[in-house]
């Protein structure tokens, strides 16, 4: 019978833990796998595609960002707050 105050089941599970060498090997394997993924993405031109899409998205949102900047400047001027140099 296992009650909430009987910790014998927990102690027996701790003895079944894997050795540290397994975790070191697993960390090394994951490191190498991540490096291989990065090399593959570089070789296939993944980052060039991402850079191009981000630039297109930045250009598409230019007008929206300018409207937001103008709105912020208007609200700051209504409150009597001086705009920093080069803000507008």
């Amino acid at each position: 019978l296992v009650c909430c105050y009987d910790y014998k089941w927990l102690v027996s599970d701790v003895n079944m833990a894997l050795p540290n060498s397994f975790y070191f090997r697993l960390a090394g394997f994951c490191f190498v796998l991540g490096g291989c993924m990065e090399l593959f993405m570089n070789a296939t031109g993944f980052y060039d595609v991402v850079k191009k899409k981000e630039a297109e998205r930045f250009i598409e949102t230019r007008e929206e960002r300018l409207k937001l900047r103008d709105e912020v400047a208007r609200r700051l001027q209504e409150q009597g707050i001086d705009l920093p140099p080069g803000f507008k």
Side-chain angles (χ1 to χ4, degrees), residues 16-46:
M16 296 175 57
L18 296 171
N20 285 340
S21 62
F22 169 77
Y23 295 109
F24 294 143
R25 288 180 185 172
L26 179 64
F29 174 76
C30 291
F31 180 78
V32 170
L33 181 65
C36 290
M37 290 172 59
E38 288 291 329
L39 287 174
F40 176 78
M41 288 190 289
N42 256 342
T44 58
F46 172 78

Side-chain angles (χ1 to χ4, degrees), residues 21-81:
S21 62
F22 169 77
Y23 295 109
F24 294 143
R25 288 180 185 172
L26 179 64
F29 174 76
C30 291
F31 180 78
V32 170
L33 181 65
C36 290
M37 290 172 59
E38 288 291 329
L39 287 174
F40 176 78
M41 288 190 289
N42 256 342
T44 58
F46 172 78
Y47 291 116
D48 296 332
V49 173
V50 170
K51 191 186 319 180
K52 183 179 176 184
K53 286 186 178 184
E54 286 293 323
E56 290 171 355
R57 195 172 299 140
F58 185 77
I59 291 170
E60 288 173 357
T61 61
R62 182 176 189 273
E63 290 181 18
E64 182 179 332
R65 287 182 285 114
L66 289 175
K67 287 179 185 177
L68 179 63
R69 186 187 71 184
D70 293 341
E71 179 66 23
V72 168
R74 185 185 62 77
R75 288 187 183 182
L76 288 175
Q77 287 176 345
E78 285 177 358
Q79 295 176 1
I81 299 174

Side-chain angles (χ1 to χ4, degrees), residues 6-17:
D6 187 14
Y7 294 107
K8 290 180 184 176
W9 60 273
L10 181 63
V11 173
S12 65
D13 287 347
V14 171
N15 293 333
M16 296 175 57

